[in-house]
Amino acid sequence: MADVIRELLARDEAGGQVEVEGWLRTARHSKQVTFLEVHDGSAFAGIQAVANPEVPGFEEVVRGLSTGCAVRVQGELVDSPGKGQRFEIHAGQVERVGGVDDDYPLQKKRHGFEFLRTIAHLRPRTNTLGAVLRVRNAAAAAVHEFFQERGFVYLQAPIVTLADAEGAGEMFRVTTLPAGDPPREEGGAVDFGRDFFGSEAHLTVSGQLEAEIGALALSRVYTFGPTFRAENSNTSRHLAEFWMIEPEVAFCELPGLMDLAEEFLKAVFARVLERAPDDMEFFEARIAPGILETLEHVVKSPFERMTYDDAVRILEQAKQSFEFPVRWGVDLQSEHERYLTEQAVGRPVIVTDYPKDIKAFYMYVNDDGRTVRAMDVLVPKVGEIIGGSQREHRHDVLLQRMRDLEIPSEDYWWYLDLRRFGTAPHGGFGLGFERIVQFMTGMANIRDVIPFPRVPGYAEF
Ligand code: ATP
Ligand code: MN
C-alpha cells in the first residue's frame, strides 16, 4: 500500500523513496516542470509532487493531468523550497490511475455549500467537507474513548421500534403493507396486526428507554446510533436522520449527571482540538473566526449551574427584551438560552429543575411536586446542546404521571417492570452528534456536517 500523506507530512526529516495515491487538486504545467497537488484525504493538506521531463511518459501522461485525476506518484521525499509546505516529492514515476471528463464540477474556486449538496458524491473532495468529515471522525472516536475509559458499555439500541419515546418527535412508519390497498379492520382502519412486525412500527426517535434497560443491568451504558424525526422542519439545525449519543447511568442522581455532561463536552472538544489541529485551523480561518477560542474557553471554564427558577429570575431582570416573553412555567427559547450563557454568565450553563408540565413523563418529580430533575446544558452561540434528566424510578409516582398525561401504561409494561424489579435511581442525557460537530466547526447548516443529509423532500445519494 502507498504511504499515507498525513504520515509523510509528520515525518521529522525528508529523504527516502515514497509512494502516494490520491486525487489532484491542481496540476500546474509550466515550461519545464509540472506541479501536482495530491490529496488523499488523510490530512487537510496535500503534498506537492514535482515532475520534470525525465519522468517516463512525461509528455503523454503527466502533461495531460488535470484537476480531479486519480494518480499514483513515486519519488523521493525532499525538503520543499516553496513556502507553506515542508516537504514535496521529487517524482520518479507518475501514473494516471483515473482521468476526468471535462465536466468535472469541482474546479479550483470556491463553491457554495448549497451547490455542493447537489454533488454530495464529490463534495468530500473539497477542503471544507474533507475537514468536516475528519473532525466528525475525531469527535466520534473521542465519544467512544470517553465512555470506554469510564467503564461504560456501548449498547446498540434498536432502530425499528414499537415505542414512541413520548412523542420526542414525529415518527417514520416502517411497514411492508401495500401502500395502495392495505388490509383493513372492520371499521376501516389499517390493520397493522397483519403488518411485518404484527403491530405498527416506526424508526426510533431516541434510544433512551432501551438505554434505561441497559443501565439497570450493566450500570453504565451509552448508545451512539442513528435516530429519525419526521418533523417537517426546514431549519439549519434539524435533520430527518441524525446520530444521537445517549449515556444512561444507574445509581446516579442529577449532580452526577451534571458532572458527567460537563466532563464529556470538555473531553470531546479537547481531543478534537488535539487530533485535528489543521482542520480546526481551517474552520478558524475560513468558516468561523473565534471558534478556537470559544472551544478552548469551554474546555477550561467550570460550567455554571442554576435552577430554572433562578434562570427565569435572571431573564425577567434582563435589560434586553425578548421576542418570547418569559415567566415561570414557559419553556426557554433559544434567545433565552443564549442570553443566559452568553450575557448572564459568559460560560456554559447547566439549568436544572424545570417545571414538570413542560417536561417528559419519565423525569423524576421533585418534592415540591411542581418541578422535575431535568437538566439542559447551554453553550454560547447554540443554546441547548445537551438535554437530560434523572428518571422517575418510583413505580407509583411514574404510574400516576402516566395516568395524568393519559399515556397508555400497557404500551410501557416493560418500562414499568423495571420499576418493580430492582429499581434504582438512574438517569442520563442525550445529544445530537451533528449539533456537536456543528458547534465545533462553526458550520452554519447542519446539512453540511453529515455526509449524506436527509431532510424533507431530499434523500439523494
Ligand atoms: P430541538 O428543540 O432542537 O428540536 P428537541 O428538543 O427535539 O431539539 P430532543 O428530543 O431532546 O431534542 O433530542 C435530543 C438531542 O438530539 C437534541 O438536544 C439535539 O441535539 C438533537 N436533535 C433533536 N432533533 C434533531 C434533529 N432533527 N436533527 C439533528 N439533531 C437533533
Ligand atoms: Mn425537536
Side-chain angles (χ1 to χ4, degrees), residues 66 193 216 229 238 267 311 363 366 377 401 408:
S66 60
L216 290 166
R229 307 249 169 125
H238 289 90
M363 297 190 182
N366 280 315
V377 182
R401 273 285 270 161

Side-chain angles (χ1 to χ4, degrees), residues 168-169 229 231 233 238 435:
R229 307 249 169 125
E231 42 197 10
S233 41
H238 289 90
R435 297 271 179 93

Side-chain angles (χ1 to χ4, degrees), residues 168 229 231 237-239 242 244 384-385 387 430-432 435 446:
R229 307 249 169 125
E231 42 197 10
R237 303 167 33 75
H238 289 90
L239 292 162
F242 63 100
M244 190 124 87
E384 176 187 338
I385 194 162
L431 69 167
R435 297 271 179 93
I446 198 166

Side-chain angles (χ1 to χ4, degrees), residues 109-246:
K109 65 166 182 140
R110 280 199 116 177
H111 298 284
F113 292 132
E114 204 152 334
F115 166 68
L116 289 177
R117 270 172 236 145
T118 67
I119 50 165
H121 59 311
L122 298 171
R123 71 175 183 163
R125 298 185 194 180
T126 62
N127 272 339
T128 309
L129 262 290
V132 162
L133 296 182
R134 280 183 301 273
V135 164
R136 200 181 149 97
N137 171 64
V143 167
H144 283 296
E145 283 167 26
F146 175 84
F147 289 121
Q148 294 294 326
E149 283 165 4
R150 285 165 179 75
F152 283 67
V153 174
Y154 177 29
L155 183 84
Q156 290 77 29
I159 287 172
V160 174
T161 173
L162 307 184
D164 88 339
E166 51 76 42
E170 289 300 308
M171 304 182 89
F172 291 100
R173 182 175 297 140
V174 178
T175 179
T176 52
L177 294 179
D181 183 24
R184 293 186 185 274
E185 291 170 354
E186 259 167 43
V190 175
D191 183 5
F192 288 105
R194 293 170 62 189
D195 203 348
F196 189 89
F197 296 105
S199 190
E200 199 176 348
H202 297 97
L203 294 177
T204 188
V205 291
S206 159
Q208 179 201 316
L209 303 189
E210 289 89 356
E212 287 186 52
I213 296 177
L216 290 166
L218 304 165
S219 297
R220 301 163 166 220
V221 300
Y222 68 106
T223 71
F224 185 5
T227 49
F228 306 84
R229 307 249 169 125
E231 42 197 10
N232 203 356
S233 41
N234 265 302
T235 78
S236 60
R237 303 167 33 75
H238 289 90
L239 292 162
E241 175 181 295
F242 63 100
W243 286 63
M244 190 124 87
I245 301 157
E246 294 177 284

Side-chain angles (χ1 to χ4, degrees), residues 243-317:
W243 286 63
M244 190 124 87
I245 301 157
E246 294 177 284
E248 190 74 28
V249 191
F251 305 102
C252 181
E253 304 199 7
L254 197 59
L257 289 174
M258 288 195 271
D259 292 342
L260 185 70
E262 179 170 348
E263 276 176 49
F264 172 80
L265 284 181
K266 290 178 169 176
V268 171
F269 294 168
R271 279 198 192 153
V272 171
L273 289 169
E274 179 191 319
R275 305 262 173 85
D278 296 354
D279 295 313
M280 291 306 304
E281 285 292 346
F282 167 79
F283 291 113
E284 170 74 29
R286 305 301 286 275
I287 304 290
I291 191 76
L292 290 179
E293 205 192 313
T294 303
L295 289 173
E296 278 154 15
H297 178 65
V298 172
V299 170
K300 277 192 287 220
S301 355
F303 291 12
E304 179 80 19
R305 298 174 185 199
M306 65 172 74
T307 62
Y308 172 90
D309 288 5
D310 292 338
V312 167
R313 219 165 290 132
I314 291 171
L315 291 165
E316 281 171 344
Q317 286 161 12

Side-chain angles (χ1 to χ4, degrees), residues 333-397:
Q333 303 290 327
S334 116
E335 56 174 342
H336 309 133
E337 296 171 342
R338 291 189 58 173
Y339 178 85
L340 290 170
T341 166
E342 292 168 16
Q343 311 293 323
V345 292
R347 285 180 287 132
V349 181
I350 310 181
V351 180
T352 62
D353 303 287
Y354 283 76
K356 107 179 155 187
D357 292 340
I358 58 170
K359 291 291 184 182
F361 76 93
Y362 51 70
M363 297 190 182
Y364 186 97
V365 181
N366 280 315
D367 292 342
D368 64 12
R370 55 181 208 138
T371 60
V372 288
R373 288 195 190 155
M375 64 159 197
D376 280 0
V377 182
L378 316 179
V379 293
K381 304 223 165 69
V382 169
E384 176 187 338
I385 194 162
I386 289 184
S389 70
Q390 183 177 330
R391 317 304 184 195
E392 185 54 78
H393 70 285
R394 299 163 298 186
H395 185 265
D396 51 336
V397 181

